[in-house]
Amino acid sequence: MTAGFTIATVDYARDHARVHAVREVVFVQGQQVPVELERDALDPLCFHVLAVDADGQALGTARLTPDRRIGRMAVLDAHRGRGIGEAMLAALVAEARRRQWPEVSMHAQLHALPFYARAGFVPSGPSFVEAGIDHREMRRRLPGSSPIEDAMGAAAVLVALAGHARRDLGVYSRAMDPGLLDRMDVLEALRRFAVSGGERRVRVLLQDAATPQRNGAPLLPLAQRLPSVFAFREVRDPVDARYPSAYAFNDTGGACFRPLGHRFDGEGGVDDAPLARRLQLDFDRIWERSRPCTEYRTL
């Protein structure tokens, strides 16, 4: 029992009525999905979970399909905001790991992309319409890094890195990555990490410290409000200044690597410890020989 609910594995043959009672309210009544699309032939073959309260009342449901896809994530309106969706998603990812699947994917409604990004899923491919609703595919390697195709994908990984970090987050950037480190979802994820309590550290290593300050980068006011968490340094070695890539890592095995720092494509995920360790070792060496950006401090 977590926060007043339990995530339970259910037998579809026995509990299908409870599963569909939730899905009909959320999808058929709430989103006007035709009932013939909401139910399909995969249901009897899927791994299903139910979120139930202390009285056994169903609050939410989700499934894992044989083709390694998470779907039918549904939480009743009155019970949203309690962490039920996060708990069901974690249970399905854990089951995919137990089955030793290399990857799990989903068709995510566009409004839900930030929710799945926080759980380590990365957008893939163009958006599309399914059951009259805009979707985009999202993927998560188990373990490993997923391909990053665009700014939304890079932002999704950074949001996940901040959400999964315990105490330490590192970012190597050419000039504070316009189009990425100035996005509201990324800034909010960094803010949540910084104020979540305990000892926290965000280190940002730059090749060019003057341009973000001149352009009023939105990350700077946030960092100036939280000077005990954020630290900035600028590379001094000419070899470091010619390094073409950009990356980020956290202290729980998450990483994001973009081979060309002026582009957003690359790879990343919350479960790639070898990549995270390698990036942190490189980062720490450069950090030690770089200069603190004292000009960023508030007067």
Side-chain angles (χ1 to χ4, degrees):
M1 184 68 68
T2 302
F5 62 88
T6 299
I7 305 301
T9 301
V10 296
D11 181 338
Y12 180 79
R14 183 190 65 222
D15 296 306
H16 61 276
R18 301 174 74 199
V19 167
H20 288 298
V22 174
R23 283 167 38 177
E24 181 167 347
V25 170
V26 173
F27 296 126
V28 179
Q29 299 177 20
Q31 298 182 345
Q32 285 75 57
V33 175
V35 67
E36 61 271 19
L37 294 180
E38 196 286 311
R39 301 190 184 196
D40 61 24
L42 282 176
D43 267 329
L45 307 176
C46 290
F47 174 84
H48 294 266
V49 295
L50 272 178
V52 297
D53 63 17
D55 297 323
Q57 178 68 35
L59 312 176
T61 188
R63 75 181 191 181
L64 190 64
T65 70
D67 56 351
R68 303 175 181 179
R69 191 179 301 278
I70 288 172
R72 302 300 196 270
M73 286 276 296
V75 179
L76 297 176
D77 278 346
H79 301 283
R80 293 177 184 173
R82 297 172 54 188
I84 294 172
E86 290 89 340
M88 292 194 303
L89 186 57
L92 296 181
V93 170
E95 176 63 17
R97 287 186 189 278
R98 190 189 68 79
R99 299 183 183 194
Q100 298 183 327
W101 290 355
E103 183 181 70
V104 66
S105 66
M106 67 178 63
H107 290 174
Q109 295 184 18
L110 291 190
H111 73 86
L113 291 183
F115 167 78
Y116 294 116
R118 290 193 295 273
F121 287 82
V122 181
S124 175
S127 60
F128 56 91
V129 176
E130 187 173 79
I133 301 170
D134 290 329
H135 288 72
R136 191 171 181 188
E137 186 169 35
M138 300 188 80
R139 297 178 175 273
R140 178 175 168 178
R141 295 288 296 174
L142 302 170
S145 288
S146 299
I148 296 172
E149 300 174 357
D150 51 24
M152 183 177 289
V157 175
L158 285 180
V159 167
L161 295 186
H164 286 251
R166 291 193 188 99
R167 296 192 307 172
D168 195 26
L169 188 65
V171 178
Y172 188 103
S173 170
R174 300 178 72 187
M176 223 171 285
D177 287 336
L180 184 57
L181 290 177
D182 54 3
R183 288 175 55 111
M184 291 304 300
D185 53 349
V186 173
L187 292 170
E188 176 58 20
L190 293 174
R191 186 198 67 80
R192 286 198 305 267
F193 169 72
V195 302
S196 56
E199 182 181 349
R200 304 281 168 160
R201 180 175 65 165
V202 179
R203 294 181 293 164
V204 182
L205 189 53
L206 301 166
Q207 292 179 338
D208 172 10
T211 297
Q213 187 176 39
R214 184 169 59 249
N215 292 341
L219 180 57
L220 290 177
L222 172 63
Q224 289 167 348
R225 293 197 300 272
L226 299 162
S228 64
V229 176
F230 287 88
F232 297 87
R233 291 193 180 185
E234 182 182 43
V235 301
R236 292 189 294 188
D237 189 313
V239 173
D240 297 335
R242 292 193 296 270
Y243 181 69
S245 305
Y247 59 83
F249 61 89
N250 66 15
D251 56 355
T252 59
C256 172
F257 182 77
R258 293 156 39 225
L260 298 177
H262 66 286
R263 296 168 58 103
F264 297 119
D265 55 305
E267 61 176 350
V270 294
D271 193 5
D272 195 341
L275 177 60
R277 283 194 298 268
R278 187 173 77 246
L279 294 177
Q280 183 171 2
L281 286 173
D282 290 343
F283 184 96
D284 288 343
R285 284 195 292 265
I286 301 170
W287 183 265
E288 290 304 317
R289 61 178 178 253
S290 299
R291 72 165 187 92
C293 296
T294 56
E295 65 271 28
Y296 283 179
R297 297 173 185 166
T298 55
L299 299 178

